[in-house]
Amino acid sequence: MTDPAPAPGRAGTAEGADASSAGGWLMPSETDRHECTWMAWPSAGYTLGDTPEEVAAARRTWAAVANAVIEFEPVRMVVVPADVPVARQHLHPDVELLEAELDDAWMRDIGPTFVRSRDGARLGAVDWVFNGWGAQSWASWEHDSRIGAFVTQATGADAIGSALVNEGGGIHVDGLGTVLLTETVQLDPGRNPGLIRADVEAELARTIGATTCIWLPRGLTRDYDEFGTRGHVDIVATIPSPGVVLLHDQQDASHPDHAVSRQLRELLEDARDARGQRFEVVGVPAPRTLADAEGPVDWSYINHLVVNDGVIACTFGDEQDDASLGVLADAYPGRRVVGVDARPLFDRGGGIHCITQQQPAL
């Protein structure tokens, strides 16, 4: 626990994390074929909302995402038993409902992270410890902390336990051993007190086959507010194909994320992936809307879900929507990009990627 961490902003390589010693597991790229997408239905708390209008907006938005995904691949929705009738009213009839108790509805974070055996024959599911995004005062996780195991059992995947407090929104991979992550998430004292980079890298090597960890120093500014995650990477950067990074590009100098975008671009252009190659960094311009009643927004087109033959992307009723979804279309050739209004999601602290979790096909 006292080994020195790699220099700030540099990629760290997990010792011994090659194909023969990484536990036999590898997290595939999100662009690989999926068996299905997992989601959870909003049933309580701030995610659902306090007023009839907020409740309707939450249900409408979660359903819009599920109903967009079902056009490309199966959707399995975890639902509190009492909410099965209302969920069925909103969802496409082909969406499968599975009953379990929930605290919240951010499946990316409460569900498992799926991996495959090196020979591609077995499905594994990493059940991270979930503690409400670093034991935040407003969060509850009595039920959500069990959803990883529930989903794992439902899939028949091999269960891969982990003592690391982590969420699926805190990592992005290229399927070749590269992982993007954020110092303020995995090294958050509220999540993993006392851990250093080497500890995290060793666990990611064991569980998801990571051989090269690229540490971002921080996430977007709004993500550090009350209902934020303290820096999830999945609204900041993603890897659409080996050697390419899509980066949130806040072009307005008056927004605090303008400086963040510049800092992260410099770091990523200097980083090397698991193959030892540099990245092409492609900026995805942020929405032109800069603020709402709560302050500077973190609206981001990066927080999309790649599905079989498609991309489900966030839109914001913003004049930038069409152009930035065009950047996504170029980054994912051959896939149809479908936009869903994600403003109600971002009002609650997340986006489309945050409420979904892909299960890779074997």
Side-chain angles (χ1 to χ4, degrees):
M1 303 295 288
T2 58
D3 294 339
R10 300 293 180 178
T13 300
E15 183 178 357
D18 61 8
S20 63
S21 63
W25 300 108
L26 181 66
M27 183 177 174
S29 169
E30 196 170 303
T31 59
D32 280 21
R33 300 296 293 181
H34 299 173
E35 179 72 21
C36 67
T37 288
W38 285 86
M39 297 181 65
W41 186 253
S43 58
Y46 80 97
T47 305
L48 184 64
D50 297 322
T51 68
E53 293 77 16
E54 289 172 345
V55 169
R59 290 171 172 170
R60 183 172 61 249
T61 305
W62 259 258
V65 173
N67 295 340
V69 175
I70 199 70
E71 298 298 322
F72 297 91
E73 65 189 56
V75 176
R76 306 184 80 184
M77 180 80 70
V78 179
V79 184
V80 169
D83 276 354
V84 168
V86 70
R88 182 49 67 205
Q89 290 173 7
H90 284 78
L91 294 167
H92 189 285
D94 289 342
V95 174
E96 180 183 356
L97 305 185
L98 296 88
E99 297 182 20
E101 295 298 331
L102 294 162
D103 296 292
D104 227 315
W106 306 100
M107 182 56 83
R108 178 69 51 176
D109 297 342
I110 65 177
T113 293
F114 289 104
V115 293
R116 288 193 297 233
S117 58
R118 293 286 177 166
D119 62 4
R122 289 187 297 146
L123 180 70
V126 183
D127 187 7
W128 313 109
V129 175
F130 178 74
N131 76 343
W133 301 278
Q136 300 207 46
S137 60
W138 48 264
S140 61
W141 56 91
E142 175 188 359
H143 303 301
D144 284 353
S145 63
R146 303 183 184 124
I147 292 300
F150 174 81
V151 171
T152 299
Q153 184 176 19
T155 63
D158 290 354
I160 304 167
S162 177
L164 186 71
V165 179
N166 189 35
E167 303 95 36
I171 54 175
H172 257 314
V173 302
D174 64 357
L176 301 176
T178 311
V179 60
L180 304 177
L181 64 170
T182 317
E183 292 178 6
T184 56
V185 174
Q186 287 80 14
L187 300 181
D188 175 15
R191 287 176 167 97
N192 297 299
L195 293 196
I196 61 172
R197 286 187 180 189
D199 302 317
V200 175
E201 292 177 359
E203 182 64 353
L204 293 179
R206 184 185 73 85
T207 52
I208 67 169
T211 59
T212 299
C213 296
I214 298 175
W215 289 90
L216 307 186
R218 55 160 299 148
L220 301 184
T221 302
R222 180 70 166 265
D223 203 19
Y224 295 89
D225 283 359
E226 181 180 9
F227 294 118
T229 70
R230 301 175 183 162
H232 270 188
V233 75
D234 69 351
I235 62 170
V236 180
T238 189
I239 305 174
S241 57
V244 178
V245 171
L246 296 178
L247 175 65
H248 179 77
D249 184 13
Q250 176 52 255
Q251 298 180 343
D252 193 303
S254 69
H255 193 291
D257 287 333
H258 176 76
V260 175
S261 294
R262 303 287 85 72
Q263 178 188 20
L264 297 183
R265 174 176 283 277
E266 291 178 4
L267 183 152
L268 289 166
E269 287 179 342
D270 193 42
R272 294 181 183 271
D273 65 14
R275 305 168 302 171
Q277 298 182 14
R278 293 189 185 276
F279 289 99
E280 175 191 0
V281 181
V282 178
V284 182
R288 308 285 180 85
T289 303
L290 300 179
D292 61 13
E294 304 298 323
V297 297
D298 59 356
W299 294 357
S300 173
Y301 302 106
I302 298 298
N303 198 264
H304 54 270
L305 173 71
V306 182
V307 292
N308 294 338
D309 304 316
V311 177
I312 312 302
C314 298
T315 60
F316 303 96
D318 190 274
E319 59 183 323
Q320 184 61 40
D321 285 352
D322 289 345
S324 288
L325 264 59
V327 177
L328 297 184
D330 291 341
Y332 298 102
R335 298 179 190 265
R336 179 162 59 94
V337 178
V338 176
V340 176
D341 188 345
R343 285 173 289 185
L345 296 176
F346 276 80
D347 286 346
R348 291 160 171 80
I352 289 173
H353 197 257
C354 305
I355 68 170
T356 56
Q357 177 62 273
Q358 72 278 357
Q359 177 184 331
L362 294 181

